[in-house]
């Protein structure tokens, strides 16, 4: 089948994520064109299109969905709108690029999945780190065995409580209002971290969680611990706390011949690699069962290029897949994203039980 020359996009919503991460890629990628944007406040869509010099503002959602020039729709609204908008895209017979988290609940995500299966259309999810040069190069390093067989992943993520989170409920940031975001920071934002673990070390297939709310300023979890195992028998541990004295951001992957460590949120920070100088070095038992002498190690840094818009790589992947470019692949699928949602929804469920609320189980 002949390749399609151009993939044409429509966008629902034009907030920060469209401005700073994924929007520009829709017109920057080869073979990609932005047809236009619909936003509840039309003037915001008008301003966006004029500022970027691409696309037009649609008068209504139906006008965008019924536009014959659009092949795929980027749903960039808040999670409380995802079910409505994603299902509408499927019923309009168009492919979809859906912001994460997929939906407010596991049940809503299942409804979205069923809608695209009925329509025979594809739904990609905006776990865009899978397309970033930084993590593609790191995955190549891991797959090539640079640190040997991967044994484990450890993540630590903390941040300070913000004054805005202490405001009255209706004035709090939407990310800590479960009726809008689905949960709190873990559910809405750090789902990215769980997806990155899956991309680099395999899908987490077995896990245990502990959640708590230490501050009481919002209903969702502000502390989460996770222990689990991936499909590749890699052990995973993680701690997330959103009310500490400062931000700590540490992502460590270790194997039997080395490790890689990096900052998750700083896309320009180098990835530090440490490996055995002699890859076949054998340890000898010392006093009290310890190692008699540590092996010589070699350190290096991986510094992939940083793109102006971090979502560009994944946009290129999606465009190439839809155009039919041989070998093109986008691994950020609805199924992969639902594996991540299974974990964040389990945390949400535990927190709901702590509050004495009923909750559906994934």
């Amino acid at each position: 089948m002949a390749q399609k020359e151009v993939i044409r996009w429509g966008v629902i919503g034009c907030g920060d994520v469209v401005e700073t991460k994924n929007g520009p890629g829709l017109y920057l990628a080869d073979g990609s064109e932005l047809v236009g944007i619909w936003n509840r406040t039309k003037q915001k869509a008008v301003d966006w299109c004029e500022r970027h010099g691409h696309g037009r503002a649609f008068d209504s959602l139906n006008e965008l969905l019924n536009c014959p020039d659009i092949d795929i729709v980027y749903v960039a609204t808040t999670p409380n709108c995802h079910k409505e908008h994603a299902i509408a895209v499927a019923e309009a017979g168009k492919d979809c690029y859906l912001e994460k988290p997929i939906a407010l609940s596991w049940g809503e995500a299942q409804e979205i999945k069923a809608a695209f299966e009925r329509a025979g259309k594809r739904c990609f999810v905006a776990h865009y780190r899978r397309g970033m040069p930084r993590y593609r190069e790191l995955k190549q390093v891991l797959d090539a065995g640079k640190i040997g067989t991967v044994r484990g992943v450890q993540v630590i993520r903390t941040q300070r409580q913000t004054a805005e989170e202490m405001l009255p409920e209706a004035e709090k940031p939407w990310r800590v209002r479960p009726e809008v975001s689905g949960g709190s920071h873990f559910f809405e934002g750090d789902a990215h971290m769980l997806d990155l673990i899956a991309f680099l070390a395999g899908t987490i297939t077995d896990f245990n969680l502990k959640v708590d709310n230490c501050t009481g300023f919002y209903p969702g979890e502000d502390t989460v611990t996770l222990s689990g195992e991936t499909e590749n028998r890699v052990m995973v541990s993680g701690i997330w706390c959103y009310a500490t004295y400062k931000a700590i951001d540490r992502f460590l992957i270790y194997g039997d011949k080395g490790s890689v460590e990096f900052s998750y949120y700083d896309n320009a920070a180098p990835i530090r690699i440490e490996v055995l100088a002699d890859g076949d070095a054998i340890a000898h038992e010392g006093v009290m069962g310890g190692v008699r002498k540590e092996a010589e190690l070699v350190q290096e840094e991986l510094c992939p290029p940083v793109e102006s818009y971090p979502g560009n790589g994944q946009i290129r992947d999606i465009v190439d897949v839809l155009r039919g470019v041989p070998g093109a692949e986008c691994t950020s699928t609805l199924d992969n994203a639902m594996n991540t949602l299974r974990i964040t929804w389990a945390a949400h469920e535990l927190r709901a039980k702590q509050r004495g609320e009923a909750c559906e189980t994934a």
Side-chain angles (χ1 to χ4, degrees):
M1 186 170 64
Q3 289 184 27
K4 194 167 183 176
E5 288 188 10
V6 179
I7 299 300
R8 297 178 173 87
W9 292 78
V11 180
I12 302 175
C14 59
D16 288 345
V17 72
V18 181
E19 182 69 34
T20 63
K21 295 177 181 178
N22 295 322
L26 307 180
Y27 59 78
L28 291 173
D30 290 341
S32 183
E33 178 185 321
L34 173 60
V35 175
I37 298 173
W38 173 77
N39 192 74
R40 286 178 300 177
T41 304
K42 183 180 178 181
Q43 190 57 46
K44 290 183 178 179
V46 171
D47 292 344
W48 197 100
C49 294
E50 289 179 351
R51 217 170 43 250
H52 289 262
H54 289 269
R56 64 182 176 89
F58 283 90
D59 289 323
S60 69
L61 177 58
N62 283 338
E63 182 190 9
L64 183 148
L65 293 175
N66 293 322
C67 178
D69 296 331
I70 292 176
D71 304 301
I72 180 170
V73 177
Y74 173 27
V75 175
T77 50
T78 49
N80 58 320
C81 300
H82 285 184
K83 174 187 168 182
E84 174 192 352
H85 291 155
I87 290 176
V89 171
E91 291 177 345
K94 300 183 188 299
D95 294 313
C96 183
Y97 185 39
L98 179 60
E99 262 304 327
K100 57 80 204 151
I102 305 166
L104 288 184
S105 71
W106 181 255
E108 287 191 358
Q110 293 279 41
E111 292 182 60
I112 292 170
K113 179 178 171 64
F116 281 95
E117 288 175 347
R118 287 193 302 270
K121 306 305 290 186
R122 283 167 285 200
C123 183
F124 306 95
V125 179
H127 285 298
Y128 60 82
R129 282 170 171 80
R130 289 173 177 254
M132 291 172 61
R134 173 181 181 82
Y135 296 119
R136 283 187 167 168
E137 191 167 338
L138 174 55
K139 183 166 175 58
Q140 291 174 356
V141 167
L142 297 174
D143 290 348
K146 179 84 172 182
I147 66 169
T149 300
V150 176
R151 302 294 194 204
V153 178
Q154 181 188 63
V155 297
I156 300 175
R157 154 98 164 100
T158 73
Q159 69 180 40
R160 296 184 67 188
Q161 183 99 50
T162 67
E164 290 77 10
E165 291 169 357
M166 302 177 192
L167 294 172
E169 181 65 25
E171 301 174 42
K172 293 184 189 298
W174 67 267
R175 286 182 173 83
V176 297
R177 296 168 56 196
E179 74 277 11
V180 181
S181 70
S184 67
H185 297 289
F186 183 72
F187 190 96
E188 194 283 326
D190 286 340
H192 270 312
M193 298 185 80
L194 298 172
D195 181 76
L196 187 60
I197 292 171
F199 178 60
L200 296 174
T203 299
I204 298 173
T205 53
D206 183 38
F207 62 91
N208 291 292
L209 292 165
K210 295 286 186 181
V211 307
D212 204 347
N213 184 292
C214 300
T215 64
F217 284 112
Y218 50 81
E221 61 283 348
D222 62 17
T223 303
V224 180
T225 63
L226 175 147
S227 61
E229 183 178 12
T230 76
E231 60 190 341
N232 300 325
R233 298 178 63 193
V234 175
M235 297 294 107
V236 178
S237 66
I239 298 174
W240 292 261
C241 184
Y242 306 104
T244 64
Y245 78 108
K246 72 170 187 176
I248 301 172
D249 174 11
R250 183 171 184 258
F251 203 119
L252 172 70
I253 304 174
Y254 53 91
D256 58 357
K257 294 185 179 180
S259 67
V260 295
E261 185 174 355
F262 54 91
S263 166
Y264 174 79
Y265 274 91
D266 184 354
N267 292 329
I271 296 171
R272 295 176 294 278
I273 303 174
E274 180 176 82
V275 296
L276 292 167
D278 179 354
D280 296 321
I282 297 174
H284 295 280
E285 188 171 330
V287 178
M288 301 295 290
V291 174
R292 188 183 306 164
K293 183 181 178 182
E294 292 293 347
E296 182 182 352
L297 302 173
V298 176
Q299 289 87 24
E300 61 181 282
E301 291 187 345
L302 191 66
C303 299
V306 179
E307 293 195 282
S308 299
Y309 302 101
N312 282 4
Q314 184 152 283
I315 297 297
R316 287 193 294 266
D317 289 343
I318 293 170
V319 168
D320 286 348
V321 167
L322 296 180
R323 288 179 63 206
V325 174
E329 180 184 21
C330 177
T331 63
S332 194
T333 62
L334 189 57
D335 285 339
N336 284 337
M338 289 185 74
N339 287 329
T340 294
L341 182 66
R342 189 184 301 274
I343 299 172
T344 55
W345 181 247
H348 176 95
E349 181 184 37
L350 287 172
R351 179 60 189 145
K353 288 180 178 178
Q354 288 177 351
R355 299 196 304 268
E357 301 172 1
C359 190
E360 66 186 62
T361 302

